[in-house]
């Protein structure tokens, strides 16, 4: 008698995603960007509360801190919440949320460009902005939560 493991729905889903990613490179790029833009904002957002990865307050331009009605620490806690929400939004609706992330990154880039010494990080964040825009474009075709009618309409265009 041979024991067989019963596949779970999540195993089948993961296998389908991996197989499709191997066969269809653009889909693989979509999945990679989707995972990255869900996980990383949530991780960095959570870190705003612990400062394990960096002292995030040090990245705020002094002119911006002077404009705030609260401390830089409070600002970073708000940023953390926004980043966590952004990661969740990308998980739910990447087609639209990726544009929100791109705008958020644009704001971060402006902050960094106005604060001497952070140009390298601003350049990195510009690369992330471009990747967020690529995710938004790929999500037009691969967002799994889109209706069949919307997918059919896109194919006709």
């Amino acid at each position: 008698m041979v024991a067989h493991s019963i596949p779970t729905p999540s195993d089948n889903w993961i296998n389908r995603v991996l197989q499709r990613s191997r066969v269809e490179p653009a889909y693989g790029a979509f999945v990679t960007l989707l995972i990255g833009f869900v996980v990383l904002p949530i991780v960095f957002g959570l870190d705003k509360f612990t400062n394990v990865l960096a002292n995030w307050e040090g990245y705020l331009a002094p002119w911006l801190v002077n404009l705030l009605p609260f401390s830089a620490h409070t600002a970073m806690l708000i940023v953390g919440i926004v980043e966590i929400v952004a990661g969740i939004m990308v998980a739910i609706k990447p087609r639209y949320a990726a544009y929100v992330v791109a705008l958020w990154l644009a704001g971060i880039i402006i902050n960094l460009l106005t604060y001497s010494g952070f140009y390298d990080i601003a350049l990195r964040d510009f690369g992330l902005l471009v990747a967020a825009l690529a995710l938004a474009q790929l999500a037009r075709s691969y967002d799994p939560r889109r209706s069949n009618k919307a997918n059919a309409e896109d194919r006709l265009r």
Side-chain angles (χ1 to χ4, degrees):
M1 179 178 245
V2 177
H4 294 283
S5 64
I6 299 171
T8 64
S10 63
D11 288 339
N12 290 334
W13 178 81
I14 291 170
N15 287 335
R16 284 193 311 270
V17 168
L18 291 174
Q19 178 59 32
R20 185 173 177 190
S21 294
R22 282 190 287 271
V23 173
E24 196 175 341
Y27 180 75
F30 168 72
V31 170
T32 301
L33 290 168
L34 180 65
I35 291 168
F37 280 106
V38 169
V39 173
L40 295 175
I42 292 172
V43 168
F44 288 128
L46 290 171
D47 195 59
K48 300 299 190 287
F49 294 88
T50 62
N51 286 326
V52 171
L53 299 173
N55 177 12
W56 297 104
E57 295 168 28
Y59 290 100
L60 279 176
W63 68 269
L64 186 57
V65 174
N66 291 335
L67 291 176
L68 297 174
F70 39 77
S71 69
H73 177 71
T74 301
M76 283 295 106
L77 295 179
I78 293 168
V79 166
I81 292 167
V82 169
E83 290 174 345
I84 292 166
V85 169
I88 293 167
M89 286 173 53
V90 169
I92 294 169
K93 199 64 183 163
R95 183 174 184 175
Y96 304 110
Y99 289 113
V100 173
V101 171
L103 286 171
W104 182 253
L105 286 162
I108 292 170
I109 292 165
I110 290 168
N111 169 70
L112 292 170
L113 289 175
T114 62
Y115 191 17
S116 182
F118 292 101
Y119 303 129
D120 56 335
I121 297 171
L123 181 61
R124 178 213 52 206
D125 285 353
F126 181 74
L128 290 171
L129 184 150
V130 171
L133 293 174
L135 173 61
Q137 290 299 309
L138 288 166
R140 291 176 60 201
S141 296
Y142 298 113
D143 184 349
R145 291 166 186 84
R146 297 188 63 219
S147 69
N148 287 334
K149 181 181 176 185
N151 285 332
E153 289 171 358
D154 277 353
R155 281 191 289 272
L156 293 174
R157 291 182 196 162

